[in-house]
Amino acid sequence: MKKIIIVMTIMLTTAFANAQGSEKAKSLLDEVYNKVQSYDNIFVDFKFDLKNTEAGINQETRGDVTLAGNKYMFNYLGSQQIFDGNKVYTIVPENEEVTIEDKSDDENAMTPSKMLTFYKEGHNYAWDILQDVQGRKIQYVKLTPIDSDTEIKSRLLGIDMGTKHIYKLIETGKNGTKTTITVNSFKTDQTLSKTLFTFDEAKYKNEDYFILRN
């Protein structure tokens, strides 16, 4: 009987600690989300690492994204993607090609416009490790997708506790692929051109780009 009581006590203590950690993590993410929402626009320069040891994949590149509301301009792997609030324009200079398509209806898709807010829904939260990165305190929160059918096993979101900005995202897939996004520069409320999120179709037609509409 005594052993049963001890086991039950341990289980209840663990459950209580987990619940506290979950609430603590959610509170921090709410704070990060509210701060992101308070800015008129955000510019992020980042490093992107993709690794899968079993498949022999090890890629590293850089990119940047400018966000304003649900609009964005995304530069990555030599291509540019613009979302003006209605259409997505993907410009690939190497192929002299432009693809124009409607915004994806997949609410689970990780789009540039969601990269700083994706954690708000669809995950269970757990308080994780605290790291010191060149004097910056980076608190990690573990995100586990609620949808068991997703290809994502877990995500670790590193938050700079001084600024409450996202510093790092480490995503682990069920197939063993690990994707790491590290923020090099995070700027807010910049002066943006009024045409930054406007696609000039005539310009690309004049340059003989092939324009594909999906």
Side-chain angles (χ1 to χ4, degrees):
M1 184 68 178
K2 186 176 180 180
K3 288 184 178 180
I4 294 174
I5 292 173
I6 292 173
V7 171
M8 289 182 65
T9 301
I10 292 173
M11 289 175 65
L12 289 171
T13 302
T14 302
F16 180 70
N18 288 341
Q20 280 192 315
S22 177
E23 284 301 312
K24 196 174 177 182
K26 184 179 183 305
S27 178
L28 175 60
L29 292 180
D30 284 344
E31 193 173 350
V32 173
Y33 178 82
N34 289 335
K35 193 155 193 182
V36 166
Q37 295 295 91
S38 72
Y39 299 125
D40 289 332
N41 59 71
I42 298 171
F43 170 82
V44 179
D45 176 88
F46 61 88
K47 182 175 75 171
F48 179 92
D49 288 301
L50 179 67
K51 290 183 173 65
N52 187 316
T53 304
E54 192 173 313
I57 298 172
N58 189 355
Q59 299 176 352
E60 182 178 315
T61 188
R62 298 181 73 149
D64 64 73
V65 61
T66 302
L67 305 159
N70 68 336
K71 299 178 181 180
Y72 64 78
M73 184 178 70
F74 181 48
N75 296 297
Y76 180 66
L77 291 176
S79 65
Q80 184 178 81
Q81 191 173 85
I82 298 171
F83 178 54
D84 62 8
N86 294 303
K87 299 282 186 180
V88 178
Y89 307 87
T90 304
I91 305 158
V92 185
E94 184 178 358
N95 300 336
E96 294 188 334
E97 182 179 278
V98 176
T99 302
I100 303 174
E101 54 194 336
D102 293 328
K103 182 182 72 170
S104 172
D105 291 328
D106 183 2
E107 295 187 1
N108 295 317
M110 179 71 83
T111 62
S113 57
K114 290 182 180 179
M115 68 180 296
L116 298 178
T117 58
F118 73 92
Y119 51 82
K120 185 66 175 173
E121 297 176 348
H123 297 86
N124 292 315
Y125 310 125
W127 198 252
D128 212 273
I129 63 170
L130 176 68
Q131 286 186 339
D132 188 300
V133 179
Q134 298 179 338
R136 299 164 66 188
K137 300 297 182 185
I138 308 298
Q139 176 63 55
Y140 283 87
V141 172
K142 186 173 184 179
L143 309 173
T144 305
I146 295 172
D147 181 5
S148 59
D149 291 330
T150 181
E151 296 179 2
I152 305 304
K153 182 179 179 182
S154 65
R155 292 179 170 118
L156 275 174
L157 194 62
I159 309 299
D160 185 322
M161 295 300 282
T163 62
K164 296 302 189 297
H165 292 161
I166 294 173
Y167 166 70
K168 183 174 287 190
L169 169 64
I170 304 170
E171 181 179 280
T172 302
K174 291 178 180 177
N175 64 353
T177 299
K178 180 175 284 188
T179 304
T180 304
I181 298 174
T182 305
V183 174
N184 297 318
S185 176
F186 192 107
K187 298 177 182 179
T188 61
D189 296 338
Q190 303 290 290
T191 301
L192 303 180
S193 165
K194 292 181 179 180
T195 60
L196 184 65
F197 307 111
T198 302
F199 174 70
D200 185 353
E201 186 169 340
K203 170 189 171 182
Y204 292 97
K205 281 184 176 179
N206 290 338
E207 294 179 4
D208 292 326
Y209 271 61
F210 177 71
I211 298 178
L212 175 65
R213 299 177 187 273
N214 287 343

